Amino acid sequence: DQQVKQNSPSLSVQEGRISILNCDYTNSMFDYFLWYKKYPAEGPTFLISISSIKDKNEDGRFTVFLNKSAKHLSLHIVPSQPGDSAVYFCAALYGNKLVFGAGTILRVKS
Amino acid sequence: DAGVIQSPRHEVTEMGQEVTLRCKPISGHNSLFWYRQTMMRGLELLIYFNNNVPIDDSGMPEDRFSAKMPNASFSTLKIQPSEPRDSAVYFCASSFDGQETQYFGPGTRLLVL
C-alpha cells in the first residue's frame, strides 16, 4: 500500500531550465510534507517542506506547491544547476512518522 | 556541529552472524528513527524512539531485529541471526519534538553473504 507515490523514476533537464518533480499521496491525514535530496553514499538531506494548511512555500531556487484537493505536491527548481543532480524523495508526515515515496532521479545536464 | 553519526559505514557478514549497527543522534534531539532502504521497498521506517522509549516498532520485519536506546546519545539496531535478504542500507535519523524535519545520518551499507 503505497501512500506516497513518485511516478517518475527519473527526469533529465538542461542547466538553467526548470525542474518539476511530482508527488501524489492517498492519506488525507498527512499534515506536513517534506522534500529530501540524496546523493550517492550519503543520507537524505532535508530540502524544503510545506504544511498542509499552505499551498506554497519558497526557499531560494526551490518552491513546493501543494494541491490538497488533488492530493498532489510538486517541487520546482529554478534555475536548475548541475549540482542539483541527485535523487529527490517526497515524504509525508503523520504524527511523528515519515512516509517516503520511491524517489525521482534528477539529472541536470550542462 | 556534528550531524547524526552512524557506524560502521559498511558491514559485510555471513549469513547467521549477529550484526550491530550504531547511531549517535544530534545532541539535544529527543526522537530517533531507524530506516531501511532497499530497491524493492524504498525507504521504510523500522522503529522510532521518543525520549529513549520505543514508541512504534511496527516496521520491524521480524523477531530477528531488535533496537535499543540506552541513553539520549546512543542507539543500536541488532540483527540476529542475519540473512541475505537483510542486505540494505540502514539509516538513522533524529529530530526534536515540535519540529517536523528529521536529520539523517550517512547510513550503514549492510551486505549479508
Side-chain angles (χ1 to χ4, degrees):
Chain A
D1 177 24
Q2 276 190 298
Q3 297 189 70
V4 178
K5 296 181 183 180
Q6 294 178 255
N7 291 319
S8 298
S10 65
L11 174 69
S12 187
V13 172
Q14 197 68 35
E15 180 180 6
R17 305 296 291 269
I18 185 171
S19 296
I20 300 176
L21 298 103
N22 293 302
C23 178
D24 297 296
Y25 62 96
T26 56
N27 190 342
S28 58
M29 298 300 289
F30 289 136
D31 49 15
Y32 214 82
F33 301 90
L34 304 90
W35 285 93
Y36 282 82
K37 180 170 72 173
K38 186 182 181 304
Y39 293 118
E42 295 183 11
T45 302
F46 169 72
L47 191 57
I48 191 170
S49 62
I50 187 167
S51 166
S52 60
I53 62 173
K54 295 189 174 182
D55 55 18
K56 178 182 175 181
N57 188 28
E58 207 170 339
D59 184 2
R61 297 186 297 114
F62 304 91
T63 303
V64 56
F65 295 92
L66 175 62
N67 182 334
K68 284 188 68 177
S69 60
K71 293 191 176 69
H72 177 83
L73 65 157
S74 61
L75 173 68
H76 293 209
I77 307 173
V78 180
S80 302
Q81 299 173 353
D84 296 329
S85 297
V87 180
Y88 287 78
F89 290 97
C90 169
L93 189 68
Y94 180 65
N96 217 10
K97 297 173 68 170
L98 273 178
V99 180
F100 283 86
T104 296
I105 301 171
L106 173 65
R107 297 186 185 93
V108 180
K109 299 176 290 185
S110 56
Chain B
D1 184 18
V4 175
I5 298 172
Q6 291 186 248
S7 65
R9 291 295 310 274
H10 299 89
E11 177 81 31
V12 180
T13 190
E14 292 188 345
M15 183 173 64
Q17 295 298 305
E18 177 180 297
V19 174
T20 300
L21 311 181
R22 297 172 176 81
C23 175
K24 177 178 168 56
I26 292 173
S27 178
H29 283 188
N30 60 348
S31 289
L32 183 139
F33 308 82
W34 283 100
Y35 290 87
R36 178 172 67 175
Q37 184 183 27
T38 61
M39 288 293 293
M40 291 296 294
R41 300 176 65 89
L43 259 170
E44 53 180 345
L45 178 67
L46 300 178
I47 184 172
Y48 85 88
F49 295 83
N50 184 256
N51 294 322
N52 311 338
V53 176
I55 302 300
D56 186 339
D57 66 354
S58 59
M60 295 285 262
E62 48 198 274
D63 292 345
R64 298 184 298 106
F65 285 68
S66 63
K68 293 182 180 179
M69 191 164 186
N71 57 62
S73 59
F74 184 66
S75 177
T76 60
L77 178 67
K78 186 176 293 187
I79 309 172
Q80 166 63 19
S82 58
E83 296 182 4
R85 61 192 166 119
D86 302 330
S87 299
V89 182
Y90 291 81
F91 291 102
C92 176
S94 70
S95 70
F96 186 74
D97 271 355
Q99 291 184 349
E100 295 78 12
T101 305
Q102 295 178 17
Y103 296 88
F104 283 75
T108 295
R109 185 173 294 274
L110 173 65
L111 178 60
V112 183
L113 302 173

